[in-house]
Structure formats: C-alpha cells, structure tokens
Amino acid sequence: MTNRVPRLPRRDAMMDPDRLVTFGDAVIAIAITLLALDTTVPEGLADGGVGAALRDALPKFGAYLLSMAVIGAVWLGRHALFRQIAALDNWLLRLYLALLAVVAALPFPTRLISEYGNTAVATSVYAATIVLAVGLLTALSARLWASPVLAKPTVPPPRRSGSRP
C-alpha cells in the first residue's frame, strides 16, 4: 500500500476559480444591464400618451423580469457550484465560458419573447436558451462529479480520538 497523494490533472486552464467567478459576475452584470436598457418607452410623448406607452411596455417589462429570474437562478447555481471547485481543468473552463456566452446572449431571446411572445418560434428560442444554460450548469456539475480531484474536500478530516472541537 502506498501513501501517494492523488495527482491533479494537468491544469491547462491555470486559472484561479475565484478569478473566474469574478469574471462571471461581471459578464452577468453586463447582461442584466443590457436587459434593463431594452425596457424603454418612446421619448417626447404627450401627457395622454404616457399611459398607453407604459401599457405597450408591459411585455418588455415582463420579459425583463422573467430573464432576471433566469439569470438570478444561473448566478446562484454557479456560485453554489464554484464553492465546491478547488481546481480547474480545460473542460470546466470551456463549459463555464459557454455558460457565460449563453447568459451574455440572453438579451436577444428576451427581446424576441417581449416582441413576439405569441409566436412559437420566439417561445422556442427563449426556451432553448434556458435549456442550454441549465444543461451547461449540469455539465459543469457532472464534470466535477466525474473528476473529484478538482473538487474541494467535502468531508472534514477525521478527528483524533480524545480531541475536542
């Protein structure tokens, strides 16, 4: 029996997981900003036209809230996952960058759903974007599960007998 320490896979990514989380936070903040910028009413309306313009903006506001909830769920899931990651490999890095690309692109399907929400195509594109984001989060989790050497130890080391906490 040898007391060899398990060797980490080659760290081609060479990126600190905390830095990657910070980068992801910035990408998500920009995506949220782009969502908010798309929710507007026309300029120069007469007093009587403001109410109608607000009613017309309701689908955009609803799509914004929906996408904000989606991005919030991805953000929370991503943070929960990265609390478990000790080291990155190329697979984790690529999957994560793909996830960020989907989140960054979410303003486009959000605009589709706000303007053409009554069509099957707009609804399908929006749903496919969410499915892709969830699939990438799942793939990140599966990669971590398949390569436990990348994960932080989840079980504390055993206590010596007689020691107190």
Side-chain angles (χ1 to χ4, degrees):
M1 174 189 245
T2 65
N3 289 333
R4 267 181 70 180
V5 175
R7 203 171 129 233
L8 285 174
R10 199 172 116 215
R11 290 184 59 188
D12 295 326
M14 298 307 280
M15 174 76 59
D16 178 24
D18 291 335
R19 277 194 77 157
L20 204 55
V21 169
T22 302
F23 172 67
D25 286 342
V27 169
I28 288 173
I30 291 169
I32 291 169
T33 301
L34 292 174
L35 286 175
L37 289 176
D38 195 40
T39 307
T40 62
V41 293
E43 292 181 26
L45 294 172
D47 289 348
V50 175
L54 288 174
R55 277 191 300 281
D56 291 344
L58 281 177
K60 285 183 179 184
F61 188 67
Y64 163 78
L65 290 176
L66 177 62
S67 290
M68 185 63 203
V70 168
I71 289 175
V74 168
W75 183 76
L76 290 171
R78 180 186 64 97
H79 273 283
L81 180 67
F82 268 81
R83 278 194 298 271
Q84 301 173 28
I85 295 175
L88 295 166
D89 67 357
N90 274 331
W91 277 107
L92 280 174
L93 182 61
R94 288 178 180 145
L95 289 168
Y96 185 62
L97 291 175
L99 175 64
L100 292 179
V102 171
V103 170
L106 193 59
F108 175 72
T110 302
R111 177 175 261 180
L112 278 178
I113 200 85
S114 71
E115 294 180 12
Y116 307 104
N118 57 345
T119 67
V121 172
T123 304
S124 297
V125 168
Y126 191 85
T129 303
I130 294 171
V131 167
L132 184 56
V134 170
L136 287 165
L137 269 174
T138 302
L140 282 161
S141 296
R143 177 64 184 157
L144 194 58
W145 180 78
S147 297
V149 70
L150 298 173
K152 291 178 182 173
T154 56
V155 179
R159 287 193 227 169
R160 286 181 244 147
S161 60
S163 66
R164 299 213 184 262

